[in-house]
Structures are given as C-alpha cells and as structure tokens.
Amino acid sequence: MEIIESFICGKRNDPSRCEDGFTVTADYAAVVDGSTSKLRPGEKTPYPDRSTGRVAMETVLAAVWELPPAATPDEVLDMLTAALHRVWTPAAENYPWLRPTCSLALLSRAKREVWLVGDCQCRTGSRIVHPEKAVDSTLATIRADVVRWHLAHGATTDELLRDDPGRHFIADALRLQTWFQNALEADNPWRYPVLDGTPVRPADVVRVPVRPGDHVTLATDGYPTLCDTLAETEAHLSALLTTDPLCVGPLRSTKGCYTGQVSYDDRTYLTVNL
C-alpha cells in the first residue's frame, strides 16, 4: 500500500507523550488511538515512564506486523487482544482503568475492508464512518453545561483553560465508565468496544468495504471530521479551535484545548492507496 498523506500531532505537541500512532505494512494500514489515562492526580502509572494509552498504542502497532496477510476480523481481534493482555500488570485484572486501552482503525488489503474498534474513524470517497460512544456524548454534554455555568457566572475562558471545573465534575464518571468496556450485556446502552486485553465481540466491530485503487483515510478522533485532504482537515480543526477552545460548542468534548496544548486531543491522519 502506498502512503499518500500522513500526520501525527500530540495535544501537547510533544511526541514522547503522544498516545496516537500509525503503521503501514504490505498487508495492513493501522491507526491507533491510545485512551487517555483515567488515573487520579497523584496516582502513578503502572508502567515506567509511559501512560497506559501509550503502552496500548505501541503494543498494538507492533502486533499488527505479526498479523497473517489474510487474517479474518476474528483472528485480528484475538491476536491484538492477546498482545495487550500480555502487558497487563496484576492490578489490571480487577481495575479496568489500569488496562492499556486503545481504539483502532485497520485496513486489510486482502479482505478489502476497514475494521473499526472504538472511536477511530475512516473516509472512503465521500463516505465518513465515525463510531461514537453514548457515554462520551453524555459526559461531554454534562461537562459543557458546567463550563457554561461558570462562564455565565463570571469565569473567563483563559481561567477555564487553566483549570476546567467541567472536567473535574465528570472525572469519576470517566474512570467508572471503563467498567463498560467490552461489556457483554447487549442491552446496556453505555457499553462500548475497545482493545484492552479483554475479548471484543465481533459484532461490535464496524466493517467498511473498500475497493482496489481507493484512497482510504484512517484517523483518530482528534479530528472532528475528515475532509478531502490533510490540509483541509487541519484547517477545519484549526478554525474550530479558534472559535471553541473550551470545546463546549461545535467541538463538544470531555476535555478542552487547555493552556500549553495545541489541541484538545492527540490526532493522527493517514491516507493510503489500496
């Protein structure tokens, strides 16, 4: 597969702390979004000098290189899940927020499909597929309501970008939502799929067909939407960050573009020619 465009930028513009990544082999193109840590202030990461999100990203990208050329979605899920389970610390068995966790967009050349696990996204032609989690949408709305209340009562945007009361308000819920990762109860509206070392239901994988010769874009959710080119996608994000740095309007999110950051989240963009 030929790389047409690619870009990675951490929200702090520090590559060593970025939890996004991508890789392209002869048979696969993968974009991985390591999940933001749910540790409380003062709690130490279970991995020396790395966040759980970065451990997940690095582990999955390495495992992609070991995938058989024509692996099925079930085989991919089994291999990537096993790779993450091998790097669990003992406490991860009982505390899901300590598990290295990530979302994935994987293009299989042999199967001519993109497989989405979690909230990564893809674009083929004019079609954009971006799964979203109900729990994230709900918590983002709650955070936005709290931030807007503070704005209405005299807080400034700069103050809220230095200390976000909305993020503090939902912090415990963000941690507790990890119990819903790969939950088996189909009627649970808050359950969501991720790669975290526990089994992923095959039915939860979003499958997007592609055709030979297609330009396929894979990206993390650090982009609100995917445009025709990287430049257009970056320009769209930049315009929204200018008008909504708190991320309570068009960029509504569970976190803002805080002081010292260049965006609200790490972001990765990869376009390949199948």
Side-chain angles (χ1 to χ4, degrees), residues 56-134:
M57 177 268 289
E58 293 177 346
T59 300
V60 168
L61 289 182
V64 166
W65 283 86
E66 304 300 322
L67 295 174
T72 66
D74 288 1
E75 291 170 331
V76 167
L77 291 176
D78 287 346
M79 292 185 68
L80 300 185
T81 294
L84 285 170
H85 194 272
R86 285 194 293 270
V87 298
W88 275 17
T89 60
E93 185 70 43
N94 297 315
Y95 302 104
W97 55 86
L98 297 179
R99 296 170 188 162
T101 300
C102 62
S103 296
L104 169 73
L106 183 71
L107 169 62
S108 166
R109 182 177 62 84
K111 301 301 182 182
R112 297 179 183 174
E113 284 188 327
V114 174
W115 301 324
L116 301 174
V117 183
D119 50 17
C120 284
Q121 55 184 318
C122 75
R123 174 171 175 148
T124 59
S126 60
R127 183 188 181 193
I128 301 171
V129 182
H130 189 181
E132 297 182 6
K133 303 196 293 281

Side-chain angles (χ1 to χ4, degrees), residues 185-222:
E185 306 85 3
D187 59 347
N188 179 350
W190 307 114
R191 61 183 298 277
Y192 58 93
V194 290
L195 293 170
D196 71 347
T198 63
V200 180
R201 293 197 330 161
D204 289 336
V205 178
V206 178
R207 301 173 64 163
V208 183
V210 296
R211 297 169 300 181
D214 278 355
H215 283 192
V216 181
T217 298
L218 310 176
T220 60
D221 66 347

Side-chain angles (χ1 to χ4, degrees), residues 6-209:
S6 64
F7 182 69
I8 296 179
C9 183
K11 58 180 175 283
R12 301 180 185 88
N13 205 19
D14 178 353
S16 69
R17 301 175 69 183
C18 182
E19 296 172 324
D20 278 8
F22 76 85
T23 195
V24 178
T25 73
D27 301 293
Y28 299 97
V31 161
V32 179
D33 182 357
S35 298
T36 301
S37 172
K38 305 303 187 295
L39 295 178
R40 296 190 176 108
E43 288 183 323
K44 293 183 178 180
T45 174
Y47 301 93
D49 304 320
R50 290 188 297 169
S51 67
T52 51
R54 187 166 177 91
V55 169
M57 177 268 289
E58 293 177 346
T59 300
V60 168
L61 289 182
V64 166
W65 283 86
E66 304 300 322
L67 295 174
T72 66
D74 288 1
E75 291 170 331
V76 167
L77 291 176
D78 287 346
M79 292 185 68
L80 300 185
T81 294
L84 285 170
H85 194 272
R86 285 194 293 270
V87 298
W88 275 17
T89 60
E93 185 70 43
N94 297 315
Y95 302 104
W97 55 86
L98 297 179
R99 296 170 188 162
T101 300
C102 62
S103 296
L104 169 73
L106 183 71
L107 169 62
S108 166
R109 182 177 62 84
K111 301 301 182 182
R112 297 179 183 174
E113 284 188 327
V114 174
W115 301 324
L116 301 174
V117 183
D119 50 17
C120 284
Q121 55 184 318
C122 75
R123 174 171 175 148
T124 59
S126 60
R127 183 188 181 193
I128 301 171
V129 182
H130 189 181
E132 297 182 6
K133 303 196 293 281
V135 66
D136 276 358
S137 178
T138 298
L139 293 179
T141 297
I142 293 172
R143 173 185 166 269
D145 289 343
V146 172
V147 170
R148 282 197 297 262
W149 185 92
H150 282 268
L151 286 170
H153 288 77
T156 68
T157 295
D158 286 345
E159 288 171 341
L160 297 176
L161 290 176
R162 289 193 296 269
D163 187 21
D164 181 353
R167 181 75 178 185
H168 297 322
F169 192 89
I170 65 171
D172 285 344
L174 288 168
R175 178 164 168 144
L176 291 172
Q177 80 174 48
T178 60
W179 290 107
F180 300 133
Q181 292 177 182
N182 298 330
L184 297 177
E185 306 85 3
D187 59 347
N188 179 350
W190 307 114
R191 61 183 298 277
Y192 58 93
V194 290
L195 293 170
D196 71 347
T198 63
V200 180
R201 293 197 330 161
D204 289 336
V205 178
V206 178
R207 301 173 64 163
V208 183

